[in-house]
Amino acid sequence: MRTQVAIIGSGPSGLLLGQLLHRAGIDNIILDRVSKEHILGRIRAGVLEEGMAQMMEEAGVGARMKRENLLHDGFDMVFDDEVHRIDLFNLSGGKRVHVYGQTELTHDLMDAREAEGLTTIHEAQNVQPHDFDGEKPYVTYEKDGVSQRIDCDFIAGCDGFHGVCRKVLSDGGMQTFEKVYPFGWLGLLADVPPVHHELIYVNHARGFALCSQRSETRSRYYVQCAVSENVEDWSADMFWDELRRRLPDETAQKVITGPALEMSIAPLRSVVSEPMRFGRLFLAGDAAHIVPPTGAKGLNLAASDVHYLFEGLREHYLDRSDAGLDVYSQKALHRIWNAERFSWWMTSVMHRFPDMSTFDRRIQQAEFYQLVHSKAASTALAENYVGLPY
Ligand code: FAS
Ligand code: PHB
């Protein structure tokens, strides 16, 4: 087989890139090691920046999102039961965020790809990128026990944090910067109305909690948990009790509980791998970076990576220029590090660290005081939360 761009990974990064390339007349094939159903079974991000929403429109797959998404102008932060609303819309000069689940976004991208008859090879085993430091890269894989090869001009490594591209590059000059947090997030998805019309981020003595949502009838909640926790040890009732312990009484009494559609524990880490280009292999999304979900940046960073990479590939094929590809890594990393800073900061302010001192706790309280009383501090938060410019 031959294609212009071989994309490894059928998550949001790979699918969005594939759709944009196709609409620009650039041929591409996507490979993933798991089934479509497996990918759609993952419950992940819920908050989209305006930039991601615009990318979905640009890719021609924004119709359902525009119909079904919830537009949020702000969110609440709770410290020691004191509630403070961050007025995103007015602090950011009129920007807001879109609440629309990653699962739905991935579904929309997959549906569009299938409707266009584009090639996605699921359950491809032992996918390997080859000769990307030369002019003729290719990808090999096994499907139904048969070895296959795809010759291409470029390879896009959109295969996430545990993907093969990171592994192949880890001893080839890639530099990785990492911070692991001493806690995780236990998440629960349920078909119950959200407790509030906007998100609520909580710093409580028992730990962080987040009240999020997917629609007016489906809610997503998280509580900070120890890294040693096993999701099998948690029932939905135990989760609801712990969540309500961490909310202000008035809010806790309004929580509508129900059976869990899904429960899972996500570890929290900050990771950046540099550079994001190795010859004709380009990394995008979680394959190159991970952020703690506190700032809702993970999926949104994948969008800006794809934006820069797509522009570079389009220039290569349509304008015969490699200027965009030559600055891809530098451009993407600039925005990535700013989002890493924001996600680290928001995680540091909102979580209870096992080893935190009384000094650390006072600093957290001072951070919250700044957000409540300084327009400059809350404006900086708002500008980062709605998304820095591409
Ligand atoms: P993905 O990991 O989504 O997709 C990579 C794809 O590559 C997968 O389908 C995988 O099967 C495939 N792949 C991997 N190795 C391969 C190989 N060797 N060969 C072929 N295919 C291979 N972000 C938020 O903003 N908010 C959140 O609340 C949030 N929660 C998260 C919870 C968890 C458990 C995780 C892991 C991430 C979470 N994220 C969250 C971040 C998440 O949304 C990512 O940013 C987003 O999935 C990035 O998309 P991709 O870069 O496409 O990577
Ligand atoms: C979610 O809805 O999954 C979500 C929302 C905001 C975050 C993290 C996760 O900061």
Side-chain angles (χ1 to χ4, degrees):
M1 273 181 282
R2 191 185 201 295
T3 189
Q4 289 173 299
V5 182
I7 300 171
I8 304 177
S10 183
S13 298
L15 288 164
L16 184 56
L17 179 62
Q19 188 64 15
L20 291 166
L21 289 171
H22 169 68
R23 285 170 68 88
I26 300 167
D27 187 49
N28 62 89
I29 291 176
I30 295 181
L31 302 105
D32 203 297
R33 65 179 167 190
V34 298
S35 68
K36 170 182 173 181
E37 293 69 27
H38 184 112
I39 295 168
L40 292 173
R42 296 176 186 136
I43 306 302
R44 296 220 180 130
V47 171
L48 309 185
E49 297 171 356
E50 184 58 36
M52 168 56 111
Q54 286 172 7
M55 296 275 290
M56 290 292 283
E57 294 276 338
E58 187 183 331
V61 293
R64 184 164 77 109
M65 178 192 67
K66 278 183 80 171
R67 280 199 312 272
E68 298 179 8
N69 73 356
L70 302 173
L71 292 176
H72 282 201
D73 289 352
F75 61 81
D76 282 353
M77 297 179 87
V78 181
F79 247 80
D80 302 330
D81 280 350
E82 182 185 347
V83 183
H84 175 67
R85 181 173 184 268
I86 299 291
D87 180 355
L88 292 174
F89 188 78
N90 287 308
L91 288 167
S92 69
K95 293 182 183 171
R96 45 173 55 110
V97 291
H98 301 243
V99 172
Y100 189 68
Q102 174 173 327
T103 307
E104 306 317 316
L105 177 145
T106 305
H107 220 305
D108 297 340
L109 286 162
M110 285 179 167
D111 289 351
R113 190 165 179 86
E114 283 170 15
E116 306 262 8
L118 304 182
T119 305
T120 303
I121 300 163
H122 283 289
E123 297 175 302
Q125 298 310 311
N126 191 23
V127 176
Q128 292 289 335
H130 301 274
D131 290 2
F132 44 84
D133 48 359
E135 295 297 305
K136 296 184 182 303
Y138 64 96
V139 173
T140 57
Y141 66 97
E142 284 129 36
K143 174 80 174 171
D144 303 328
V146 179
S147 295
Q148 305 282 355
R149 168 174 168 146
I150 301 174
D151 291 286
C152 53
D153 300 332
F154 298 100
I155 302 171
C158 301
D159 50 341
F161 185 66
H162 302 289
V164 63
C165 291
R166 285 174 55 83
K167 287 190 186 71
V168 163
L169 296 171
S170 54
D171 53 11
M174 171 187 267
Q175 189 178 6
T176 296
F177 304 83
E178 183 166 15
K179 180 180 183 59
V180 178
Y181 299 89
F183 39 72
W185 280 16
L186 170 62
L188 178 143
L189 185 74
D191 273 338
V192 294
V195 67
H196 190 52
H197 68 286
E198 293 178 330
L199 272 59
I200 306 174
Y201 290 81
V202 183
N203 178 318
H204 184 275
R206 297 178 66 89
F208 169 83
L210 170 60
C211 302
S212 184
Q213 52 198 260
R214 291 293 179 268
S215 69
E216 289 170 355
T217 59
R218 178 168 285 193
S219 299
R220 177 70 168 168
Y221 291 103
Y222 297 95
V223 294
Q224 173 186 342
C225 64
V227 287
S228 56
E229 285 285 355
N230 290 310
V231 69
E232 297 79 23
D233 297 335
W234 285 80
S235 69
D237 287 344
M238 289 167 69
F239 180 94
W240 293 119
D241 290 343
E242 186 57 40
L243 173 74
R244 284 179 292 205
R245 287 189 197 102
R246 300 188 188 186
L247 298 175
D249 288 345
E250 184 188 344
T251 308
Q253 286 160 22
K254 290 192 287 187
V255 172
I256 300 173
T257 66
L261 295 174
E262 183 266 1
M263 285 179 78
S264 56
I265 292 178
L268 269 65
R269 58 166 64 92
S270 301
V271 180
V272 180
S273 298
E274 297 184 4
M276 292 169 62
R277 174 191 190 175
F278 292 80
R280 288 181 169 251
L281 169 61
F282 294 84
L283 299 181
D286 278 18
H289 45 74
I290 294 287
V291 284
T294 324
K297 291 296 150 218
L299 179 56
N300 292 301
L301 274 181
S304 46
D305 290 353
V306 167
H307 169 76
Y308 300 134
L309 182 53
F310 167 63
E311 291 301 326
L313 289 167
R314 181 169 62 175
E315 267 181 26
H316 170 85
Y317 284 107
L318 305 188
D319 308 339
R320 298 274 170 247
S321 160
D322 282 351
L325 292 177
D326 291 344
V327 298
Y328 165 70
S329 181
Q330 174 199 346
K331 227 173 166 183
L333 284 167
H334 173 72
R335 190 170 194 272
I336 288 159
W337 275 111
N338 276 285
E340 289 282 350
R341 181 212 68 84
F342 173 67
S343 305
W344 160 81
W345 172 82
M346 198 137 166
T347 302
S348 306
V349 171
M350 296 309 294
H351 289 74
R352 293 299 174 100
F353 289 67
D355 61 350
M356 78 189 303
S357 65
T358 49
F359 175 85
D360 297 332
R361 181 68 191 128
R362 288 288 184 273
I363 291 294
Q364 280 191 339
Q365 288 164 336
E367 287 278 8
F368 186 64
Y369 179 91
Q370 290 276 326
L371 291 172
V372 173
H373 298 283
S374 159
K375 188 164 183 229
S378 50
T379 299
L381 191 169
E383 288 176 347
N384 280 276
Y385 194 89
V386 298
L388 298 176
Y390 281 18

